Amino acid sequence: MISKDIKKRFPILDQQVNGHPLVYLDSGATSQKPDVVIEAVKRYYENDNSNVHRGVHTLGNRATDEYEGARQKVADFINASSVQEVIFTRGTTTSINTVAQSYGRANVSEGDEIVITMMEHHSNIIPWQQLAKETGATLKYVDLEDDGTLSLDKVEETVTDKTKIVSVMYVSNVLGTKNPIKEIAEIAHRHGAVMVVDGAQAAPHLKVDVQDLDCDFFAFSGHKMCAPTGIGVLYGKKALLEDMEPVEFGGEMIDFVGLYESTWKELPWKFEGGTPIIAGAIGLGAAIDFLEEIGLDNIDRHEKHLAAYAMEKMSEIDGLTIYGPADPDLRAGIVTFNLDGVHPHDVATVLDMNGIAVRAGHHCAQPLMKRLGATATARASFYVYNTEEDVDRLADGLRIAKEYFSDVIH
Amino acid sequence: MSSINLDQLYRRVIMDHYKNPRNKGELADGGLTIDMNNPTCGDRIHLTMQVEDGIVQDAKFDGEGCSISMASASMMTQAIKGKSAEDAVRLSKAFSDMMLGKDLDEDLDLGDIEALSGVSQFPARIKCATLAWKAMEKGVDSDANPN
Ligand SMILES: Cc1ncc(COP(=O)(O)O)c(C=O)c1O
């Protein structure tokens, strides 16, 4: 288990909410930020703030070094084979849209197929819907199993030689399921398709190795892994990125500009039009240092333990349904649930009045909700700073909610 | 310590409307049909209304959502039945004001709806309470300005 003292590294957690010490169980939406990240951003603004890749002056050099240093940290963090394969974006959403608009438009045409799954987040559905509409390609879904996992047989049945893109989430933001990305990538490649991974819920929580997964693109967001909002990453294999056109044009990304024609910088900068998210990238670098100091394997183990503990505690509550795989080994630190007869909003409000922050709603996964037969659910998601006591508080809060609404529960 | 407590939100009248919704279902013979979602949370309302000679003759709602959104829909249909479309819209404006915590016109009789005033202290829940009212306004508007 990770030491409880880690909580002290997150200043925001030391507060009372509605008269109770805050228990933050919404890291799946966005994580809190440790002191080192807040300080790194502050230090940058107080000492080195300047635009990158242009100034001849000292501050400009420092800012550029720090920004590019952060890129190297990201490359090492996901084991990219080259730092040129790391593109800074605004987040997972922008990263996936970049793949759809650049790689997709150039390589997908009428009659082709794009394969995703029924458990995807809207940001890994809609870019492909749009691409399918524009190109006349067909969007296909791999259904999920009743236990909330994906079956490789079904993937095998869905992917054909017409498939050009397979895009799957590594970890489900609703079910907590860890998907067999490496095996799915192998199927995609056998049919000549590229493998895109939505790593938004994976990168913060487990050791990602893009070379081992053999994925072609990997997207994630800084804000879910202790970094500021507004910074994210698109990893892509160099050979693919080199052939791709940028989707945003302007300053920073050009090599030469003529009156009617221009040429682009080399990788990764051709994909980073405009002044980049410098402070965000530096914050992400600091977040990576922080997470690696704890160890991603420790984080993964810690969260799995909390999820298993939560499932055990919550199963003691009558009328509480937990979604996703029952086997803790198949999941990450996300537990989605419903209290029979009480709408998740109402559950979340009662928990909030007890200082406990959870998410309630469709979690940007409406097709999945429909598949689960639920219009909305409540979700507790764990991170490094959560403890067994937090889970106990959640279980107590759920009992209070149940009691409070007992006269409407039929 | 916070002075807000749950009982200010979940008044008995509200829970009664949630448990025993009035005017639940769908009007058989057409009239106005309005579907509205709250995209941030997935709440959904399907409202059918019969407006004749400027008077709301009947209204029913169906949908999915939390206690606040469903109770508000139930109260709304109850309140607008028999009222002129104008008065229904006026009531909806008063309801919006109440959600913003504004003082209301003394002569306005809100009846059960008054119980929802506590929602104004729970900003995250205001959208739940206003969904049905927005649907009703949209319906009245489309009746007055058909295109
Ligand atoms: C699985 C998954 N994919 C994509 C996203 C979108 O991330 P962002 O909003 O940072 O672009 C999220 C976060 O909400 C997510 O959980």
Side-chain angles (χ1 to χ4, degrees), chain A residues 18-19 341-343 345-347 349-350 353-354 359-362 366 375-376 404-405 407-408 410, chain B residues 1-2 4-7 9-10 15 18-19 39-43 64-68 122 125 128:
Chain A
N18 295 319
V342 188
H343 193 277
H345 276 178
D346 294 316
V347 174
T349 292
V350 175
M353 293 312 287
N354 286 279
R359 175 109 187 250
H362 54 55
Q366 289 185 16
T375 49
Y404 193 83
F405 290 106
D407 63 329
V408 294
H410 17 264
Chain B
M1 243 332 241
S2 150
I4 311 169
N5 74 53
L6 283 172
D7 296 335
L9 181 62
Y10 298 114
M15 296 322 279
Y18 180 46
K19 222 163 112 180
T40 54
C41 61
D43 284 4
E64 277 150 4
C66 62
S67 58
I68 301 300
F122 293 78
R125 306 302 297 274
C128 311

